[in-house]
Amino acid sequence: MPRTPDAKGHVPFGEHRTWYRRTGELTGARPALVVLHGGPGSTHDYLVGLADLADEGWPVIHYDQLGNGGSTHLPHAPAGFWTPRLFLDELDNLLDALGLRDGYVLFGQSWGGMLAALHASARPAGLRGLVIANAPASYPLWLGEMRVLRDRLPPEIDEVLLKHEAAGTTDSREYFDAMMVFYSRHVCRLDPWPREFAATFLEIYNNPTVYYTMNGPSEFHVIGTLRDWGVEDRVADIAVPTLLLSGRHDEATPATVQPYFDRIPDVRWEIFENSSHTPHLEEPDRFRRVLLDYLEERV
């Protein structure tokens, strides 16, 4: 079980509030690991196991991005409100509020990895390291690979998906059941799903404002505001040691991750052979070893 947090609460963010939890003491001996969850529109829950790194002396900061979890919900905000810039500003605000600017490491998973890469590309002075986990470098690359992965589904499953996507009935039970065939192959291959991952999944669909606006109704049907967005033109500016993580069966396929590896100057890539999009849950022992080796050797 993850360690009990040493502190949790909210920091003001303009008129809103960002929820956070800190595990481990901020002594300055080692930089804090700040965890950026996926989505956009997810919550920190499925990454809560990273709190165990505090046992090795690495303080860990989790937070829920605006619009979800313990942070302010804004179900009536217009689509134009939800932008990558908003979430970059929220991260900057959190770092300042918690006094982390002198030294921190970012761990970004999925969309959070893209956000972390964009933050790192500005070369902030206090950033000591970067972990980009299961993150595509752009949504156009992601969408191209989604078609490849969907073509490998049983034909009758993809037919159901296509039918409902064309009809705009992606909220139907039939679509959900077909969607889960894809998710069980390329999002989390554990059966049953761990409780913390199921909790995050339910949070998205109980409060879908951000996910539906920026992404769309499913991981592979991206029709939201991010559909043409990416960070590959910025990642060459990243100046800290970077660890890439992905799963062999990941929806973030090697083709979507390759631009990070090709363009970041100091980068290492670890692929988890028995994982999809959540190797921290699917191969936790190896994941912990890889992450701790990176932190101990490079940060």
Side-chain angles (χ1 to χ4, degrees):
M1 293 291 293
R3 278 185 46 166
T4 301
D6 295 286
K8 57 183 177 180
H10 294 86
V11 299
F13 176 45
E15 299 177 353
H16 314 302
R17 301 197 306 166
T18 301
W19 180 93
Y20 77 94
R21 57 172 277 167
R22 171 178 58 81
T23 311
E25 295 298 326
L26 300 174
T27 63
R30 283 177 163 170
L33 183 75
V34 181
V35 180
L36 284 67
H37 65 69
S42 180
T43 64
H44 80 285
D45 299 84
Y46 74 108
L47 294 165
V48 73
L50 289 170
D52 287 345
L53 293 174
D55 293 334
E56 307 296 332
W58 300 91
V60 179
I61 306 294
H62 288 89
Y63 74 102
D64 287 335
Q65 294 163 22
L66 189 65
N68 290 90
S71 297
T72 303
H73 292 198
L74 296 161
H76 304 299
F81 177 81
W82 304 107
T83 65
R85 181 75 260 168
L86 171 74
F87 293 104
L88 285 173
D89 290 346
E90 182 184 33
L91 173 59
D92 284 334
N93 182 74
L94 182 77
L95 295 172
D96 290 335
L98 298 183
L100 301 176
R101 283 292 191 179
D102 289 341
Y104 61 100
V105 177
L106 292 186
F107 178 101
Q109 201 274 341
S110 198
W111 140 263
M114 301 176 78
L115 195 64
L118 194 56
H119 175 92
S121 72
R123 299 189 175 185
L127 183 64
R128 301 287 182 260
L130 174 66
V131 182
I132 301 173
N134 318 100
S138 79
Y139 280 92
L141 281 173
W142 175 270
L143 283 167
E145 289 298 287
M146 289 302 104
R147 186 66 265 165
V148 172
L149 296 178
R150 282 181 59 162
D151 284 345
R152 297 174 184 167
L153 294 173
E156 65 274 12
I157 297 297
D158 200 34
E159 287 171 8
V160 169
L161 296 172
L162 289 169
K163 177 184 73 173
H164 288 288
E165 288 162 2
T169 51
T170 55
D171 58 349
S172 71
R173 180 69 197 193
E174 188 180 38
Y175 185 84
F176 179 86
D177 290 343
M179 179 184 79
M180 290 302 294
V181 175
F182 180 96
Y183 280 35
S184 66
R185 293 184 177 199
H186 301 297
V187 180
C188 184
R189 293 166 69 86
L190 299 176
D191 185 15
W193 281 354
R195 182 175 61 181
E196 60 267 38
F197 186 72
T200 287
F201 186 77
L202 289 174
E203 285 271 6
I204 291 174
Y205 288 98
N206 286 336
N207 181 33
T209 301
V210 181
Y211 187 76
Y212 282 10
T213 299
M214 298 184 77
N215 184 86
S218 69
E219 293 290 275
F220 47 77
H221 190 49
V222 180
I223 56 175
T225 57
L226 291 180
R227 61 188 176 274
D228 298 317
W229 185 74
V231 298
E232 65 261 66
D233 61 338
R234 297 286 302 276
V235 298
D237 293 327
I238 294 172
V240 294
T242 301
L243 175 64
L244 297 178
L245 304 175
S246 63
R248 180 61 67 192
H249 309 282
D250 205 329
E251 58 181 350
T253 66
T256 72
V257 177
Q258 192 69 42
Y260 295 117
F261 188 71
D262 290 343
R263 301 180 189 187
I264 297 175
D266 184 357
V267 63
R268 177 176 132 209
W269 188 357
E270 292 281 347
I271 296 177
F272 290 76
E273 294 295 333
N274 299 309
S275 294
S276 57
H277 200 51
T278 54
H280 63 285
L281 299 174
E282 296 166 283
E283 294 182 69
D285 292 340
R286 182 174 174 232
F287 173 86
R288 181 182 174 87
R289 288 196 304 273
V290 168
L291 184 54
L292 280 172
D293 284 350
Y294 162 77
L295 291 170
E296 299 286 353
E297 294 173 7
R298 309 297 296 282
V299 176

